[in-house]
Structures are given as C-alpha cells and as structure tokens.
Amino acid sequence: MSTLINPATGVEIDASPASATLEEADAAIERAADAFAAWRDVAPGERARLLRTFAAVVDEHLEELARLEVLNAGHTIGNARWEAGNVRDCLNYYSAAPERLFGRQIPVPGGTDITFHEPLGVVGVIVPWNFPMPIAAWGFAPALAAGNTVVLKPAELTPLTAMRIGELALEAGLPEGVLTVVPGKGSVVGERFVTHPLVRKVCFTGSTAVGKQIMAGCADQVKRVTLELGGKSANIVFADADVAAAAASAPYAVFDNAGQDCCARSRILVQRAAYDEFVGRLETAVKALRVLDPADEQSEMGPLVSAGQRDAVRSYVEGASVAFTGTAPDGPGWWLPPTVVESRDTGEAVWREEVFGPVVAVMAFDDEEEAVALANDTEYGLSGSIFTSDVGRALRVARAVEAGNLSVNSHSSVRYWTPFGGYKQSGLGRELGPDAPDAFTEEKNVFIAH
Ligand code: NAD
C-alpha cells in the first residue's frame, strides 16, 4: 500500500499495511465462506453475546481508535471519539437482532405457511476514506448479526482503524474468518468482492461513479448490492425561521469533517427577506469556527484527507464568487479555510457538483415552491435541512424534497436507530435502523401441507 501520510502535518505515518493481492483477496473470501457454516449455526443468544463482547472491547479501545483516526484521517479528536463510539453503539444495537430475526406465519388454505430470514453467506463491505469507522460498522454489525460472515475493504488512504477493529473482533472471541479486513486497492480487492461468486452481497459506500461500476458488475451474478453514494444536500432557511439559530448551526452542517461528508449541506437556500441577516450571521459563525490541529481538544475542523483532495476542492473555489472565508493553519498539512461562495447561477460547478470539502454555496429564493424546485434540481438526494417555525411548511417541504434523510430545525441525519440512504443517484437500499439485518438475509417461504 502506498505510504500513509498524517493529513495535519504532511509527515509519513510509520504503519502502512501491505495491499492484498488478488490471490490474498481470494483466500480471505474463501476463509470467510468456510467460516460461514459454523457462524450461521451459532445459537442466536450466543451470537448476540459475542457481538456485545465485541462492542465492549471496542469501547475499551475507544481512545486508541480515536487517536488512530486523528493520525490517519485528520479527524478532530472529538469527532473521532464519536466515530469509535458509533462502532460500539452499532454493535450493541444489532446484538439484539439475532434473537429477534423473526419470520412470519401467513394464513393460507390447505396448510401452514412460515417464512425464515436466512443469512446470505459472505458479505463484502467496501468503505470510503471519509468516515472509516462508522461506515464499516454500518455494514458489518447488521451483517454479522444476521449470520453472515464479512470481508471488509477499507479505503487505501485510511486503513488503520479498520485493521485494528479486525484485531479487536478476534480478541472479543469472534471466530477466525467471521470478520476479515482486507486492505488493498479498489481495482483489485474491491473489484474482487464484485466478481467473486462466493461473495453474495456487496455493501458499497463511495463515489457515484464507482457505485455505478459496482452495480453493473453485480448484475452479472444478480449479486445483492447496497449503494451509499454522493450528495449535494440543501439547507433551506425560510424567513419565518429562527434565523440566528439557522446561521449559527449552518457551518457545522457543511464544514464538519472538513466538508468531507456525504450528508454535507453544501447548498444553503435562504428566503430573500432573511438573506442579508442570514449571510451576516453566517460570516460571524464561520470566522469563529476553530480550524485547528485535529488532536487539539478545541478543534472543530481539521485538514483535508490528502493533498489530492485539497487540490480538487481548491479548484472549485478558483473562479467562484467567494463571499468570505474562515481561518486555517499555515504550514504543512492539507489545510483549507472554510469558504462561503455566493451563487447566482445553478449551472456553476460549485453549486451542482459534490465538492467534498469545506466549501458552501449560498443562494436566495422567493417562495416555498422555488425552494423545493432548487433543492430538487440535482441528480443527488441524500439529506437536507429545513429551518422554519411553521410546522405545516416543515412537513410539506420535508415531503416534497427528494432525499432520504431530512431534518427540521436541526442537521442530524445519521442515527443508528433510523434508516439511512439516498434517493436518485445518492444510492440504492437503506442502511441502519431496525430493518438493516433483514437486508442481509433472504426471505424463505415454506408451505407445509396439512
Ligand atoms: P471512491 O468511490 O473512490 O472509493 C470508495 C471505496 O471504493 C474505496 O475503498 C475504494 O478503494 C473502492 N473502490 C474504488 N474503485 C473500485 C472498484 N472499481 N471496485 C470496487 N471498489 C472500488 O470514493 P472515496 O473518494 O473514497 O469517497 C468519497 C465518496 O464517498 C464521496 O462521493 C461521498 O459522497 C461518498 N460517500 C457516501 C456516503 C453515503 O453514505 N452515501 C458516505 C460516505 C461517503
């Protein structure tokens, strides 16, 4: 694997796992297939206990995992602790699933009809670099709970926490081969998950372009696939909202994780009557954002993940109408200041494309109909926010915006208790929430003649 670099300092990290070869990927998949027979037959209560133990071991190593993510991905220490905690919480939440994987008894004439939820076999989870820990857990926790074994490929840039979590799984007592982390290239290991017939489902999170290739590849074997892809989400602020609260929270909705968040509210739509007040307050909030060394407890935003990502994001800012920026440290590392652009043309790249960095575009609208039309004028549909004091409007707009995860007078979209996923080209299928384990099963129907 190419050398890993600390994004905050530009200094090489003294721990780069070797990239798996095609043969090594095949061997990992075969071991996972061998482990499946025994894992599916582990009694539900025992599988639940093992997942709870795994959660407890993750919790014991929470600080270590968080520090590793600060080093490898440049996440702020506060975020990284939340992310490691999210792995623990997903494991605990889905540890309840093995004992509740109910089928149904369906009334039919002439006999008894019952359904079973049976695990698929080996599930391949492919993870991007922006949230290495949570996205891994959203795949492996429900998949394991439903009785599948998992092979997991972290992103090339950010393999370290996944590798450690793989070790912790063994420490917690999960049998060898039940959760295997296979670091390596997307074009080698990731693609092998798609083409290998023993992998029965691919759970992919990443760019829309690669997601389309994965979906096409999976079609060849009618392989099950879940896609969590890009976004260009709108934060819609009506003039009847608490404008001060909307402006104060808007930076966190887009600049969290330095904007490298598929749910980033990277378009802000503000009703014209409140536009000047909102932008004025936004400037105060953005300038106050603490863009600091991510290991600093006070840090609210860290660096971009790589020099390449920083350069790609910077290219969106060049030529755009920058209204104001926040601050960023000088010196080494892949830093950019949080940047606010005023957009007047919906054709601008910064308005249309997923920037995946600390850049937000603001635009004025006149009425509710225009706000909804602007919000929906995108190929994406992942998340979004609506700020208004009118409950009727909040519900009307929430129903009208074509996106999988909306929040009113807040910006939360990912909670492990609730379903998460995209409309349109933001994805296919849903993760998290109470139904996630079902998505890792086949429903079998059995009729018994009387
Ligand atoms: P990416 O698509 O380049 O890579 C994602 C993963 O896919 C990596 O592990 C990569 O190695 C692997 N991969 C690359 N080519 C592959 C191939 N041909 N076959 C199989 N695997 C392959 O994305 P990225 O740059 O790592 O992540 C950023 C993107 O992820 C953004 O577009 C972002 O919106 C999206 N994302 C979406 C969600 C969501 O839940 N919807 C969450 C986080 C990130």
Side-chain angles (χ1 to χ4, degrees):
M1 190 158 275
S2 51
T3 313
L4 303 178
I5 293 178
N6 179 339
T9 60
V11 173
E12 273 184 27
I13 298 171
D14 187 22
S16 295
S19 286
T21 60
L22 195 61
E23 292 69 30
E24 286 164 340
D26 280 352
I29 292 166
E30 280 154 29
R31 277 198 307 276
D34 290 344
F36 172 61
W39 180 243
R40 70 174 295 168
D41 287 343
V42 170
E46 175 61 7
R47 206 181 317 133
R49 191 192 63 74
L50 283 165
L51 292 176
R52 284 194 291 269
T53 307
F54 187 7
V57 173
V58 168
D59 193 51
E60 282 160 22
H61 293 81
L62 194 141
E63 191 63 20
E64 178 199 339
L65 288 166
R67 297 268 163 208
L68 209 49
E69 206 68 285
V70 174
L71 176 75
N72 190 181
H75 290 197
T76 64
I77 182 66
N79 277 9
R81 288 186 186 122
W82 181 90
E83 290 158 19
N86 186 252
V87 176
R88 170 203 60 210
D89 294 345
C90 285
L91 284 164
N92 273 327
Y93 182 67
Y94 290 112
S95 74
E99 294 165 292
R100 293 168 178 78
L101 213 55
F102 304 124
R104 289 181 292 182
Q105 180 268 310
I106 300 173
V108 292
T112 296
D113 195 279
I114 47 178
T115 67
F116 299 89
H117 284 279
E118 299 194 338
L120 304 169
V122 180
V123 170
V125 180
I126 303 175
V127 180
W129 47 257
N130 63 329
F131 287 112
M133 286 193 276
I135 291 172
W138 304 348
F140 71 65
L144 295 174
N148 303 279
T149 55
V150 171
V151 284
L152 185 143
K153 193 199 90 63
E156 290 89 324
L157 286 172
T158 55
L160 297 183
T161 47
M163 303 289 296
R164 188 68 186 117
I165 287 169
E167 292 168 0
L168 296 178
L170 294 174
E171 209 175 288
L174 265 71
E176 199 75 52
V178 167
L179 172 61
T180 311
V181 178
V182 194
K185 288 190 169 167
S187 55
V188 178
V189 178
E191 206 160 310
R192 195 62 186 131
F193 289 2
V194 174
T195 58
H196 200 301
L198 284 175
V199 177
R200 295 290 160 79
K201 173 168 180 165
V202 173
C203 234
F204 172 81
T205 304
S207 60
T208 298
V210 175
K212 287 178 185 178
Q213 284 177 40
I214 303 245
M215 190 172 174
C218 284
D220 200 42
Q221 296 166 26
V222 197
K223 190 170 287 195
R224 278 70 182 131
V225 63
T226 305
L227 303 173
E228 297 288 359
L229 309 173
K232 190 72 190 174
S233 299
N235 175 7
I236 310 174
V237 182
F238 287 95
D240 64 14
D242 179 342
V243 175
S249 63
Y252 301 97
V254 57
F255 300 139
D256 191 56
N257 205 27
Q260 303 164 119
D261 181 342
C262 52
C263 289
R265 275 63 164 173
S266 54
R267 294 182 299 154
I268 307 182
L269 302 167
V270 190
Q271 198 160 18
R272 207 170 299 277
Y275 188 85
D276 289 344
E277 181 193 349
F278 178 88
V279 172
R281 289 181 183 275
L282 181 65
E283 182 167 3
T284 308
V286 168
K287 289 196 182 322
L289 199 72
R290 292 190 294 266
V291 184
L292 303 171
D293 174 355
D296 186 326
E297 297 284 341
Q298 301 299 313
S299 181
E300 294 180 308
M301 187 182 122
L304 281 292
V305 74
S306 65
Q309 187 64 13
R310 182 205 48 195
D311 296 347
V313 173
R314 208 154 42 189
S315 73
Y316 281 99
V317 178
E318 284 157 10
S321 164
V322 175
F324 49 86
T325 71
T327 60
D330 296 327
W334 323 130
W335 297 90
L336 281 181
T339 300
V340 178
V341 167
E342 287 189 274
S343 273
R344 295 202 171 74
D345 175 0
T346 59
E348 288 171 20
V350 72
W351 183 261
R352 296 216 77 79
E353 294 174 22
E354 182 181 44
V355 176
F356 227 54
V359 181
V360 69
V362 192
M363 188 180 280
F365 67 88
D366 287 309
D367 58 19
E368 191 177 309
E369 194 184 345
E370 190 190 1
V372 170
L374 282 168
N376 286 340
D377 178 23
T378 167
E379 68 202 20
Y380 295 116
L382 191 56
S383 62
S385 305
I386 300 148
F387 278 74
T388 176
S389 56
D390 177 338
V391 176
R393 165 173 278 159
L395 280 169
R396 265 194 318 275
V397 176
R399 295 300 300 270
V401 173
E402 297 161 348
N405 310 272
L406 291 159
S407 52
V408 174
N409 295 330
S410 64
H411 297 293
S412 104
S413 35
V414 182
R415 296 160 182 267
Y416 60 85
W417 307 278
T418 57
F420 176 71
Y423 277 37
K424 301 195 278 187
Q425 294 194 31
S426 280
L428 185 75
R430 292 292 178 269
E431 295 191 298
L432 299 175
D435 302 328
D438 287 350
F440 293 99
T441 66
E442 292 289 1
E443 190 173 26
K444 177 179 282 178
N445 192 69
V446 177
F447 171 75
I448 304 153
H450 288 177

